[in-house]
Amino acid sequence: MILLRLTDLRVRRGHCPVVDGVNLTVDAGEFIGLIGPNGAGKTTLLRAALGLLPFEGVSTLAALPVAERSRAATFLPQGRDIAWPVSVGDLVALGRAPHQPGRLTAADRAIIDRALMLMGLGGFRERKATALSGGEQARVLIARALAQDTPLLLADEPVAGLDPEAQLRCMQVFAGLAAGGRGVVAAIHDLGLAARFCTRLVLLDQGRLVDTGPPRTVLSKANLARVFHVQGFHAETPDGPVFQPTGVLR
Amino acid sequence: MAGPVHPPARVVSINLCTDQLAMLLSDPGQLISVTHLALDPLVSSMAAEASAYPVNRGQAEQVFLLQPDLVLAGTYTATATVDLLRSLGVDVVQVPPVTSLAEAAAQIRLIGAALGHRARGEAMARAFEGEVVALTRRGPRVTAAFHYPNGYTTGKGTLADDVLGRTGFSNLGAEAGVTGGGILPLERLVMANPAVIVSSTLYPGASRSEEVLGHPALRALKAARGVASDADWVCGTPHILRVLRRMTALRDTFAAVP
Amino acid sequence: MAGLRVSVSLPRLVPGLLGALLGGLVAALFVASLLIGPAGLGLRESLAALVTGRGEAVVLVMREIRLPRALLGLLVGAVLGLSGAAMQGYLRNPLAEPGLIGVSATAALGAVLALQTGLAALFVGALPLMALAGAGVSVLLILALAGPRGGALALILAGIAVSALAGAATSLVLNLSPNPFAAMEIVYWMMGSLADRSMAHVWLAAPLMVAGMALLLSLGQGLDALTLGEDAAQAMGVRLVRLRWTLICGTALAVGAAVAVAGAVGFVGLVVPHLMRPLVGGMPSRLLPAAALGGAAMVLGADVAVRLVAPDQDLKLGVLTALIGAPFFLHLIWQMRRVEA
């Protein structure tokens, strides 16, 4: 089942295209890692796909009416704003708002509980979200996204700044979502995590979709050199593929 | 004050009340300037007569250039102006605001003397006093109240209070403890339900201060009769006799107060 | 903008309990407002007169003087508390409130213009409508100058500029009036007062205040989602443009009408949401009704105090709210500096 189709998507800033003619299809069961150097247009692509900024081309998601769109896809933005000192429980419960404005049903509460458990926030429910550390806040925001419980999840740098346990836990959860029949697209800088957990990588460079496919293929020596200007090391381990950039080329 | 031997030839008045007394008591050509307030019919009883005189705004420079022999001012006229004039050698006579009808008569005499027309002043004062006596009403008093913008009222020890007392009214503001000028809360006014409410005429333009005069609670007081205070109330000149006549006539319309 | 750590560690109250407490407080202060005044009426006689309509002068005092004053205190307070909470929720800035950012000052300018040009005399609705227009213009201006992406600095600077301009223009208009009283009334407009109001003022302003408050109360869910930032909120189904316009219209209606009849009362929209926020656990949707009730309590309380402290003078309402609010504002700034450090 196609969860998202982007056709010839183009976003301009002035005359310059920040996203330049991207064609992308997201299927149920896919965990797509959106990779590329800084300024490649990853954030812009995600925001355009959701219809949060003007674009040329087609996005099936942006074409939906607003209420339906919020039940079709969840967005986890890069900026981790939490404006008010709300409790963790209340913040995660925000994820249920698109489905059930007003009182929370028992089913809603069950979903919220599961989201908290998945992110290891069981004992955090009553604590003020603004009083937590940066990493803990990031996990709370991910839990909110999980609570929204939509077929598609778009995440912009979800694991930046998290400790190794939190990073691995989050990527595992996303992989689990995909395995369970949902779709996840995550813009991510950490190529090692992308290689290990994503079912498919999409490589962006200067707004263009340069390559897409399984991680081993996309993280080829040629792509690494041309787009990232690095060289890297691949290995297969019992726990899964491992990739580490090892040196700068230039 | 003994008064000058020769009447001063050039007299300038820089106070609204002395303007009017001077216009009444001076010889033709003796008074050479009055204040701009004398032309305002809302505060001056002699606005028409005042238009015949050049107008001043009470500033020392302007007054000095008129080369007066005598300047008539109030005790509340700007001290800086008065001091400056005196230091330039000009003779300044200051009169206090009138707070009773007796003081009004005394002031007529005083101005008359200052202008060198003692006899004229004495005659006018006597006539004034006689009329006041004729217009006095004794006996039971009818409640009246002054109610001005912002709830302002004139209480004990004011000219307006004396007028009410003379013409057979009691003053609600004075009874509420106000001496001089003060605030009479709207609630007290409504509870006392006076028979007569004296209020000011509205100025052009709008102001919140004047809104209280039209408050629905006041309009609902059926017993109250409204009287508009006008220019005649302001100064202690013989024109206040017109006020006394109006108030006495009003008092007479009330049946004997039980 | 990072959340502001609150220094007051008040317990989060169950919404039902908080609502009951606040409601009870407002009711008690409303009754106190009805019973306190220079006429010195007894408790039983005044309540009897109010309800039964018998008693001539007492009825006039209760129904035509005290009742409108109490009603306006309730409504104006609710408007100020609610609009402060709504603006803070939208701008995600705890310093936003209609007084501080110049909305009340421009509403006062609109009202003064309506009065001094004679429009209010021609058509009685002109007064609240022009105040409303003034309020609307300044909300638009503030959002343009320092919208949600502008930080606290841009907001306060914009507020200072708008307030100063509006205050100066109001003073100018009043001084140019042919009415000698008008020039001295700048104090009333800038500090607010409920003295000598009548039921006519209530009928004039109440419908607009209620309509404005209804609009603002509808913003609860949208503001909740905005806690996570604009992108996340939009993706969760919040229509940001509609939310912004609802905020503008609601604030203009409510604050404009309130200022038209009571002048600009400051600091209520700053203090009340800040005090209520820990009690409702920070969520804007719960804060809005709590701030409305808290604001009503604060203004009713201040109006009662004004009559106890200086019974025979017209002590302005804004004096008391500023005496409480300005030190509070300083405390708030101090806290922000500590957090940002």
Side-chain angles (χ1 to χ4, degrees):
Chain A
M1 189 186 119
I2 307 285
L3 295 174
L4 169 67
R5 191 197 302 276
L6 302 175
T7 312
D8 205 29
L9 195 72
R10 190 165 282 112
V11 179
R12 292 184 201 277
R13 186 176 302 147
H15 279 300
C16 230
V18 176
V19 171
D20 199 357
V22 169
N23 292 286
L24 180 65
T25 307
V26 180
D27 250 309
E30 291 201 274
F31 179 6
I32 294 179
L34 188 60
I35 59 173
N38 286 338
K42 306 191 288 295
T43 301
T44 312
L45 177 66
L46 289 175
R47 295 181 74 221
L50 281 161
L52 298 181
L53 40 74
F55 61 87
E56 297 157 38
V58 178
S59 160
T60 53
L61 194 55
L64 293 174
V66 169
E68 227 186 289
R69 182 189 70 195
S70 65
R71 288 190 286 271
T74 302
F75 183 44
L76 185 61
Q78 191 173 12
R80 294 173 182 162
D81 295 327
I82 304 176
W84 308 110
V86 298
S87 70
V88 169
D90 280 336
L91 200 156
V92 175
L94 283 179
R96 298 309 301 158
H99 301 279
Q100 182 74 355
R103 293 201 59 82
L104 297 171
T105 63
D108 290 324
R109 276 184 237 280
I111 294 173
I112 293 167
D113 286 343
R114 210 186 88 240
L116 288 169
M117 284 307 144
L118 280 174
M119 294 313 297
L121 295 167
F124 282 66
R125 194 186 290 259
E126 294 304 322
R127 292 180 58 180
K128 296 271 175 248
T130 46
L132 303 176
S133 73
E136 288 167 334
Q137 284 184 356
R139 281 159 53 195
V140 170
L141 292 170
I142 295 167
R144 187 278 304 174
L146 295 176
Q148 199 165 336
D149 201 31
T150 53
L152 180 61
L153 170 61
L154 302 176
D156 195 355
E157 301 294 340
V159 296
L162 297 189
D163 66 32
E165 183 201 351
Q167 285 190 329
L168 289 169
R169 186 190 293 273
C170 176
M171 294 300 279
Q172 275 167 359
V173 167
F174 286 178
L177 287 177
R182 297 178 203 257
V184 180
V185 178
I188 191 161
H189 271 306
D190 188 326
L191 299 177
L193 286 175
R196 168 91 181 278
F197 290 98
C198 294
T199 60
R200 172 154 76 107
L201 294 186
V202 167
L203 176 60
L204 282 188
D205 187 22
Q206 291 178 348
R208 284 195 210 87
L209 195 156
V210 168
D211 198 3
T212 181
R216 197 68 178 80
T217 331
V218 173
L219 293 174
S220 65
K221 199 162 162 190
N223 279 341
L224 288 168
R226 191 162 38 94
V227 178
F228 291 101
H229 312 292
V230 297
Q231 60 194 27
F233 168 75
H234 283 279
E236 285 294 331
T237 72
D239 294 314
V242 162
F243 172 79
Q244 178 65 37
T246 49
V248 175
L249 302 170
R250 260 226 242 240
Chain B
M1 186 188 140
V5 177
H6 302 289
R10 298 172 65 79
V11 177
V12 171
S13 167
I14 58 175
N15 169 277
L16 173 63
C17 299
T18 57
D19 285 345
Q20 295 176 76
L21 286 175
M23 281 192 271
L24 288 170
L25 291 168
S26 59
D27 284 335
Q30 184 180 21
L31 180 64
I32 58 174
S33 178
V34 294
T35 67
H36 65 287
L37 292 171
L39 290 168
D40 182 357
L42 283 172
V43 293
S44 166
S45 307
M46 301 177 69
E49 293 90 324
S51 58
Y53 295 89
V55 151
N56 70 70
R57 290 197 167 249
Q59 283 161 332
E61 184 184 299
Q62 189 184 21
V63 171
F64 186 68
L65 286 172
L66 292 168
Q67 295 171 311
D69 297 317
L70 173 68
V71 170
L72 298 172
T75 44
Y76 286 103
T77 306
T79 6
T81 309
V82 170
D83 289 345
L84 186 55
L85 283 170
R86 285 201 176 118
S87 69
L88 290 168
V90 179
D91 199 7
V92 181
V93 166
Q94 283 180 288
V95 296
V98 167
T99 60
S100 72
L101 292 163
E103 275 183 37
Q107 206 160 93
I108 293 171
R109 291 187 171 97
L110 196 151
I111 297 291
L115 290 172
H117 305 300
R118 185 188 294 280
R120 199 180 295 167
E122 183 63 40
M124 189 179 285
R126 284 242 178 92
F128 179 80
E129 282 162 336
E131 270 247 46
V132 169
V133 167
L135 291 167
T136 301
R137 289 286 176 274
R138 303 205 183 285
R141 295 182 178 271
V142 171
T143 346
F146 291 107
H147 191 235
Y148 294 121
N150 280 326
Y152 193 72
T153 195
T154 38
K156 218 187 316 240
T158 60
L159 179 62
D161 179 58
D162 198 21
V163 166
L164 280 187
R166 279 276 170 183
T167 52
F169 294 97
S170 62
N171 184 357
L172 188 64
E175 280 167 17
V178 175
T179 317
I183 304 266
L184 180 65
L186 186 63
E187 286 187 17
R188 287 242 180 92
L189 183 60
V190 170
M191 287 304 294
N193 201 356
V196 172
I197 297 180
V198 182
S199 195
S200 59
T201 16
L202 296 176
Y203 276 91
S207 72
R208 184 186 173 264
S209 315
E210 291 173 330
E211 270 181 47
V212 70
L213 301 180
H215 197 280
L218 285 181
R219 283 188 265 128
L221 286 180
K222 296 182 192 61
R225 252 168 281 192
V227 171
S229 74
D230 56 9
D232 289 341
W233 287 80
V234 177
C235 286
T237 66
H239 298 291
I240 204 163
L241 292 172
R242 293 200 285 235
V243 174
L244 283 168
R245 277 180 220 123
R246 280 202 293 275
M247 295 305 286
T248 300
L250 180 60
R251 175 68 185 84
D252 290 341
T253 66
F254 286 92
V257 176
Chain C
M1 185 193 134
L4 186 66
R5 195 185 304 238
V6 279
S7 67
V8 191
S9 50
L10 292 168
R12 145 106 175 263
L13 294 178
V14 175
L17 177 61
L18 181 64
L21 285 175
L22 284 176
L25 179 63
V26 170
L29 286 170
F30 186 82
V31 171
S33 183
L34 285 173
L35 296 178
I36 292 177
L41 301 170
L43 173 74
R44 197 181 310 170
E45 108 180 88
S46 40
L47 288 178
L50 182 68
V51 172
T52 64
R54 280 197 297 272
E56 277 282 19
V58 185
V59 169
L60 278 180
V61 169
M62 291 306 293
R63 287 191 176 176
E64 297 295 335
I65 302 177
R66 295 228 186 132
L67 182 64
R69 184 165 184 157
L71 285 173
L72 284 178
L74 177 77
L75 287 171
V76 169
V79 160
L80 292 175
L82 178 59
S83 61
M87 299 214 86
Q88 289 175 20
Y90 181 75
L91 294 170
R92 278 160 280 146
N93 191 320
L95 296 176
E97 73 118 5
L100 218 58
I101 62 177
V103 176
S104 299
T106 38
L109 176 60
V112 163
L113 278 172
L115 287 168
Q116 296 303 329
T117 54
L119 276 172
L122 283 177
F123 158 51
V124 73
L127 175 65
L129 285 176
M130 294 235 352
L132 201 149
V137 164
S138 82
V139 177
L140 282 168
L141 203 57
I142 293 289
L143 289 182
L145 287 171
R149 257 171 283 261
L153 184 64
L155 184 66
I156 292 299
L157 288 177
I160 291 173
V162 172
S163 286
L165 191 60
T170 306
S171 201
L172 179 66
V173 171
L174 288 174
N175 271 287
L176 289 176
S177 171
N179 192 311
F181 295 107
M184 297 179 288
E185 279 173 5
I186 186 74
V187 180
Y188 156 71
W189 287 106
M190 292 296 117
M191 300 232 82
S193 167
L194 288 172
D196 296 339
R197 303 284 80 183
S198 68
M199 286 307 292
H201 294 110
V202 176
W203 298 132
L204 196 62
L208 296 173
M209 286 198 271
V210 168
M213 284 201 278
L215 283 178
L216 291 176
L217 283 169
S218 74
L219 294 176
Q221 292 217 299
L223 294 179
D224 276 352
L226 265 182
T227 308
L228 301 177
E230 286 191 337
D231 274 355
Q234 267 189 302
M236 283 199 280
V238 174
R239 288 184 170 81
L240 281 187
V241 176
R242 183 190 291 188
L243 193 140
R244 174 189 292 202
W245 280 107
T246 308
L247 177 73
I248 291 171
C249 292
T251 306
L253 275 170
V255 174
V259 171
V261 294
V265 180
F267 293 104
V268 177
L270 184 70
V271 171
V272 170
H274 194 85
L275 285 178
M276 294 290 118
R277 197 166 282 121
L279 296 175
V280 298
M283 290 292 277
S285 58
R286 292 194 292 258
L287 181 62
L288 294 180
L293 287 173
M298 183 168 170
V299 170
L300 280 170
D303 197 36
V304 166
V306 149
R307 281 174 282 177
L308 291 175
V309 165
D312 288 330
Q313 321 279 51
D314 182 17
L315 184 63
K316 302 289 176 285
L317 209 53
V319 169
L320 261 105
T321 58
L323 281 175
I324 301 167
F328 187 89
F329 184 35
L330 292 172
H331 161 75
L332 206 59
I333 295 176
W334 182 253
Q335 263 194 319
M336 285 184 84
R337 289 196 57 208
R338 276 201 298 125
V339 169
E340 274 168 22

